[in-house]
Amino acid sequence: MNKRVSGTAALIAVAALTLAGCAGGDGAGGEGSPIVVGSVNTISGPATFPEASQAAAAVFDAFNEEGGLDGRTIDYKMLDDKGDPATATASARELVGSDGAVALVGSASLIECEINAKYYEQEGILSMPGIGVDTGCFDSDNISPANVGPFNDMTLTLQYGSEVLGLDDICILLEIAGSTRPTYQAAIDKWTEITGKEPKYVDDTVPYGASDYTPYIVKARDQGCKALAINPVEPDAIGQVKAANAQGWDDVTWLYLTSVYSENFAQAIDDAGAGIYVPAEFYPFTDDSEINADWRELMEKNDIALTSFSQGGYLAATYFIEVLKSIDGDITRESVSAALKDMDPIENPMVGTPYAFGTQNTAGWPIILKSGTHAWEQVADDWLRIGE
């Protein structure tokens, strides 16, 4: 072979290998280089979830401080999708395509799962959201959240209301984002299947971030509702309760989701009517228990809000590190995905269902906020599970 041709061919081969190594397709990097992990989050916008990724970052920082994985640290990249579809799309492509993440961990977004699920499948990357919110988080083979999720949470809160509290005339008010309406209906239908009960009234026109929820509350009261099952974020829930207070509706029972479970919410509520009940997706963080001790210490050290959202981010990152340690050989997108799909279930007392990628948590811990207390209390000594 002509030496010049041979030399040119060799250069082309070297260039091709170099480009392949830099393409970011599997996020492996060289030996000793950081392991890139990403998350797409709604940190700004009408409904925000900043604590999940903050908590995941704190877990990864602590892991790095302890030496990482045989000296390899985790380079955790958090992007804000602002609740905007175009930004959510671009964020995923930046993390997966440009940064070469090996996995997505600790995300919490109002919309991103549904928007990016097919892209994750195309790129062979898996996502472990700290808080799964939209429908896509729970019906994609490439996405498996650490939390129960709003849909199972809705079934749980309805089940607790009708079967434990013995409530009749339960009405449902829904704040709908994206295409979640059918999935909420499926959650309601599951409750009906389990209990034989049906809602007295359903209003799926309740907006996120409304300045005044009075019209929706008045309409529900006029329908004869004795209890309201609603799926808001914290600021909306405060507005809804205060709207009922202003109308003198003091005997309504509130069946909310874990999204309102925070100390800030408790402090904001004086009149909780007949009680505000929530099936907490993780072991109640307002309880002084060793179960949450490690999480609490890490959150307080990093000045991160003590919420269920931060519990979800903490657990997602903790699960991921345990799986990462089980991998023999190179840490690549392919090896990480294989390890996640083949992982043994991980038990943790902070949740009522062991975590394994591809399975859903179906347990919540019932808690109550009573009028004038400004503090959450447990109303059960064990997990409430769907259908039990």
Side-chain angles (χ1 to χ4, degrees):
M1 179 182 291
N2 182 286
K3 289 184 178 180
R4 181 175 295 176
V5 174
S6 176
T8 301
L11 287 172
I12 292 172
V14 170
L17 288 171
T18 301
L19 288 171
C22 296
D26 64 8
E31 183 177 347
S33 62
I35 300 166
V36 179
V37 177
S39 66
V40 180
N41 313 275
T42 303
I43 298 174
S44 59
T48 61
F49 312 91
E51 304 100 310
S53 56
Q54 291 170 354
V59 172
F60 290 140
D61 286 345
F63 180 65
N64 291 341
E65 290 172 4
E66 294 172 357
L69 184 69
D70 299 325
R72 294 188 67 182
T73 58
I74 291 177
D75 181 8
Y76 187 53
K77 299 179 182 294
M78 303 175 289
L79 297 184
D80 179 12
D81 66 19
K82 305 176 184 178
D84 173 65
T87 305
T89 299
S91 297
R93 280 150 181 78
E94 179 178 339
L95 293 169
V96 178
S98 300
D99 295 331
V102 299
L104 299 170
V105 179
S107 299
S109 167
L110 190 64
I111 57 171
E112 85 93 9
C113 290
E114 189 168 4
I115 289 171
N116 293 319
K118 289 185 178 178
Y119 176 65
Y120 296 155
E121 181 179 353
Q122 171 189 322
E123 297 299 317
I125 192 168
L126 302 186
S127 174
M128 299 172 61
I131 300 295
V133 179
D134 68 66
T135 302
C137 297
F138 302 94
D139 63 7
S140 168
D141 291 339
N142 285 61
I143 304 174
S144 184
N147 68 319
V148 172
F151 312 111
N152 278 339
D153 213 6
M154 176 59 73
T155 303
L156 282 169
T157 202
L158 287 168
Q159 179 180 319
Y160 187 81
S162 66
E163 305 311 294
V164 179
L165 299 179
L167 296 171
D168 294 317
D169 298 330
I170 298 176
C171 298
I172 300 171
L173 308 186
L174 296 175
E175 297 186 358
I176 299 299
S179 60
T180 57
R181 181 62 179 91
T183 314
Y184 274 114
Q185 187 60 54
I188 297 167
D189 292 344
K190 186 183 294 184
W191 165 64
T192 298
E193 179 183 347
I194 293 169
T195 67
K197 311 291 176 59
E198 294 186 358
K200 182 177 181 64
Y201 163 74
V202 178
D203 182 355
D204 61 6
T205 68
V206 183
Y208 280 103
S211 59
D212 183 10
Y213 284 99
T214 301
Y216 306 95
I217 297 300
V218 169
K219 189 175 181 180
R221 184 181 62 180
D222 290 346
Q223 290 288 328
C225 305
K226 301 301 182 184
L228 298 178
I230 322 180
N231 66 325
V233 290
E234 179 188 296
D236 295 359
I238 293 172
Q240 292 159 10
V241 174
K242 290 187 178 298
N245 296 160
Q247 296 300 312
W249 195 7
D250 59 6
D251 61 350
V252 61
T253 300
W254 302 88
L255 303 174
Y256 274 130
L257 309 188
T258 308
S259 51
V260 311
Y261 176 34
S262 73
E263 292 179 333
N264 178 66
F265 179 84
Q267 290 300 314
I269 300 301
D270 294 315
D271 182 355
I276 297 173
Y277 292 86
V278 169
E281 297 188 16
F282 308 107
Y283 188 84
F285 63 82
T286 47
D287 182 69
D288 186 15
S289 169
E290 284 298 310
I291 290 174
N292 286 321
D294 290 341
W295 161 79
R296 181 181 294 273
E297 180 180 357
L298 187 62
M299 296 305 101
E300 291 177 344
K301 176 182 177 181
N302 290 275
D303 196 26
I304 299 170
L306 301 178
T307 67
S308 290
F309 296 152
S310 61
Q311 285 179 301
Y314 167 88
L315 284 168
T318 301
Y319 296 150
F320 180 75
I321 288 173
E322 185 165 341
V323 173
L324 197 65
K325 290 178 178 179
S326 73
I327 298 174
D328 292 327
D330 294 338
I331 303 299
T332 66
R333 184 176 299 168
E334 291 75 15
S335 66
V336 169
S337 295
L340 286 171
K341 288 182 176 179
D342 293 339
M343 67 180 286
D344 293 327
I346 298 174
E347 293 191 11
N348 188 300
M350 288 178 66
V351 292
T353 306
Y355 179 85
F357 196 93
T359 63
Q360 286 193 34
N361 191 345
T362 58
W365 197 290
I367 53 176
I368 185 176
L369 176 64
K370 298 176 182 177
S371 293
T373 64
H374 298 290
W376 294 97
E377 302 173 26
Q378 293 191 35
V379 288
D381 56 10
D382 200 357
W383 297 95
L384 172 71
R385 294 178 173 83
I386 291 177
E388 295 183 6

